[in-house]
């Protein structure tokens, strides 16, 4: 018998999943992301509906549970490919054979369960026992094997998703001088929710199937699921910045014809663009804009920054902005936000992070240090 709390959480998660499905039709989502998001919401809806089906529609329980297994196997690759499509990669990876292997086997197992006699399904899904016969035993054993495989495969997809998000973050820092929402805190939150939910779900499934008893509350799993679903609704409404650029990936730099003399010339032009033209004051400065200003291809500018100057585009521009902000911060006549906006940053948090990275101090501590030095000189 399901507790009232579990039923309420199940209903809440199902409602969020169904509400989130509306984001599939948002115009700012590309076609592939829409399809994958629909799959993700559908799989979550199928899984979280178990307590509701068992309580209010027990006749459908035996039909629904095999679908839950299939949804569970579909979720990891669907989330991974959705993140890849949403993060605007130039070439999102196509589905691979191992993406559909477990869902394909799960589909066969689901059909096998549906073909069992009604009495056998009742024993398995209602009583939780194993009926006599080879077919039920084979299906139960295959289901156990699939769940164990899911534990390993989902961890692999989680790691792959983490790496793709990290690569996306690095790619943006090579193209944009300001992060705005490109600060990509959503990356950290998404990773946090995915890791927390995977840990809770994996622990729950492993303990249930290995006979260890419940090591984590089902309600905790539903709460984490609700948090992830709510986050996906917000994430789906965002339009990520494009990573399209003429600049090739780092591994292609070796193919360019950039000589040491050319690199030094481009580096000098970049320096002059910052020093004389104060290009860093443009809050919308991008690699493309800088490339046009110095008269060099974006890939050559990117290569020069990384190999000759030793900084990403984002970090290099931030360094100039922080240098320009130091006398303003030391003067103490204006707010930190006002200074940040004047030197080219578009948010206080981005400025704080960059200032601390460059100086090792917060703006307040830097101002206090300058005031202390001035007092000592005066004395």
């Amino acid at each position: 018998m399901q507790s009232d709390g579990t039923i309420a959480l199940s209903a809440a998660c199902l409602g969020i999943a169904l509400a989130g499905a509306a984001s599939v039709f948002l115009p700012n989502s590309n076609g592939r992301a829409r399809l994958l998001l629909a799959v993700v919401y559908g799989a979550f809806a199928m899984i979280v509906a178990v307590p509701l089906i068992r309580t209010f529609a027990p006749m459908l329980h035996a039909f629904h549970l095999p679908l839950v297994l299939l949804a569970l196997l579909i979720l990891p690759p669907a989330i991974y490919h959705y993140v890849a499509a949403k993060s605007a990669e130039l070439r999102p990876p196509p589905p691979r054979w191992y993406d559909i292997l477990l869902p394909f086997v799960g589909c066969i197992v689901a059909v096998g369960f549906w073909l069992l006699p009604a009495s056998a399904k009742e024993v398995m899904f209602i009583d939780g026992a194993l009926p006599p016969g080879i077919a039920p035993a084979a299906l139960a054993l295959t289901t156990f094997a699939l769940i164990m495989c899911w534990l390993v495969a989902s961890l692999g997809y989680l790691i792959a998703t983490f790496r793709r998000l990290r690569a996306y973050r690095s790619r943006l820092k090579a193209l944009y001088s300001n992060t705005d929402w490109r600060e990509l805190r959503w990356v950290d939150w998404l990773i946090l929710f995915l890791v927390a939910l995977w840990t809770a779900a994996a622990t729950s499934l492993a303990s249930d199937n290995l006979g260890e008893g419940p090591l984590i509350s089902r309600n905790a799993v539903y709460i984490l699921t609700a948090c992830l679903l709510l986050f996906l609704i917000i994430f789906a409404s965002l339009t990520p910045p494009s990573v399209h650029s003429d600049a090739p990936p780092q591994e292609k730099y070796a193919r360019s014809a950039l000589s040491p003399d050319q690199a030094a010339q481009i580096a000098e032009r970049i320096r002059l663009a910052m020093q004389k033209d104060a290009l860093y004051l443009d809050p919308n400065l991008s690699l493309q804009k800088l490339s046009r200003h110095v008269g060099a291809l974006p890939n050559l500018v990117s290569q020069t920054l990384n190999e000759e100057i030793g900084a990403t585009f984002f970090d290099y521009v931030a360094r100039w902005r922080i240098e320009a902000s130091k006398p303003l911060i030391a003067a103490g006549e204006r707010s930190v936000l006002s200074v940040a906006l004047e030197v080219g940053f578009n948010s206080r948090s981005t400025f704080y992070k960059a200032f601390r990275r460059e100086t090792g101090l917060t703006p307040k501590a830097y101002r206090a240090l300058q005031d202390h030095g001035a007092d000592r000189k005066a004395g």
Side-chain angles (χ1 to χ4, degrees):
M1 187 69 179
Q2 305 293 329
S3 68
D4 292 341
T6 300
I7 293 174
L9 287 171
S10 173
C13 289
L14 181 59
I16 296 171
L18 294 177
S23 64
V24 172
F25 303 102
L26 289 174
N28 62 341
S29 298
N30 63 57
R32 183 176 183 182
R34 291 184 187 188
L35 176 61
L36 290 166
L37 184 60
V39 173
V40 169
Y41 278 123
F44 269 119
M46 194 67 63
I47 294 170
V48 300
V50 171
L52 295 173
I53 296 292
R54 187 164 188 172
T55 302
F56 301 107
M59 297 297 295
L60 297 177
H61 188 58
F63 177 82
H64 177 249
L65 273 186
L67 289 177
V68 172
L69 173 64
L70 183 58
L72 188 68
L73 298 172
I74 287 174
L75 256 183
I79 291 176
Y80 168 76
H81 285 285
Y82 170 66
V83 169
K86 184 67 176 180
S87 59
E89 287 292 330
L90 289 176
R91 295 180 179 86
R96 296 148 296 189
W97 64 269
Y98 49 83
D99 291 327
I100 61 175
L101 178 60
L102 289 181
F104 177 74
V105 177
C107 186
I108 295 175
V109 171
V111 173
F113 277 123
W114 291 333
L115 294 177
L116 289 176
S119 58
K121 287 187 283 189
E122 182 177 352
V123 171
M124 294 187 76
F125 299 133
I126 304 300
D127 301 334
L130 182 64
I134 296 178
L139 289 171
L141 182 61
T142 305
T143 300
F144 175 80
L146 283 174
I147 291 175
M148 294 299 105
C149 289
W150 178 89
L151 293 173
V152 177
S154 59
L155 178 59
Y157 280 110
L158 184 65
I159 294 172
T161 301
F162 173 77
R163 288 177 175 174
R164 180 160 291 275
L165 289 171
R166 289 292 299 272
Y168 179 59
R169 187 204 301 266
S170 299
R171 183 70 173 140
L172 288 176
K173 293 185 74 172
L175 297 176
Y176 295 97
S177 67
N178 254 320
T179 51
D180 187 56
W181 85 275
R182 300 177 187 120
E183 187 71 35
L184 296 184
R185 287 192 176 89
W186 61 264
V187 171
D188 300 323
W189 282 104
L190 181 56
I191 291 174
L192 175 63
F193 285 134
L194 288 175
V195 169
L197 182 57
W198 178 86
T199 302
T203 302
S204 178
L205 281 172
S207 60
D208 286 348
N209 285 272
L210 295 176
E212 298 295 331
L215 298 179
I216 188 168
S217 169
R218 293 284 181 87
N219 289 353
V221 177
Y222 282 115
I223 291 173
L224 288 172
T225 300
C227 291
L228 178 59
L229 289 172
L230 285 171
F231 179 83
L232 284 176
I233 292 176
I234 299 171
F235 180 45
S237 67
L238 298 176
T239 303
S242 174
V243 296
H244 288 250
S245 170
D246 296 330
Q250 184 73 22
E251 60 268 23
K252 294 184 180 179
Y253 284 158
R255 302 180 187 176
S256 73
L258 185 65
S259 67
D261 289 341
Q262 289 175 314
Q265 291 174 8
I266 294 175
E268 178 63 13
R269 278 183 270 170
I270 293 173
R271 185 186 67 80
L272 291 175
M274 298 297 169
Q275 186 180 60
K276 291 187 175 182
D277 303 327
L279 214 62
Y280 58 85
L281 295 178
D282 179 5
N284 296 316
L285 181 63
S286 66
L287 181 66
Q288 294 281 1
K289 283 187 177 182
L290 177 61
S291 300
R292 288 194 295 268
H293 190 88
V294 302
L297 293 173
N299 65 308
L300 299 183
V301 173
S302 181
Q303 182 176 355
T304 301
L305 285 167
N306 282 275
E307 297 181 355
E308 184 73 13
I309 298 176
T312 65
F313 172 69
F314 174 86
D315 290 338
Y316 180 73
V317 176
R319 191 176 302 158
W320 280 92
R321 289 171 174 167
I322 294 303
E323 287 301 317
S325 74
K326 286 180 179 178
L328 301 176
I329 291 294
E333 298 174 354
R334 302 167 62 180
S335 68
V336 172
L337 177 60
S338 176
V339 172
L341 295 176
E342 179 170 334
V343 299
F345 288 99
N346 57 8
S347 73
R348 190 172 185 268
S349 61
T350 305
F351 172 71
Y352 254 90
K353 186 175 181 181
F355 194 93
R356 188 158 193 168
R357 184 178 63 247
E358 293 296 327
T359 66
L361 300 168
T362 65
K364 183 179 180 180
Y366 180 82
R367 181 181 298 166
L369 183 63
Q370 298 302 308
D371 290 343
H372 180 69
D375 292 342
R376 290 186 62 182
K377 289 182 180 180

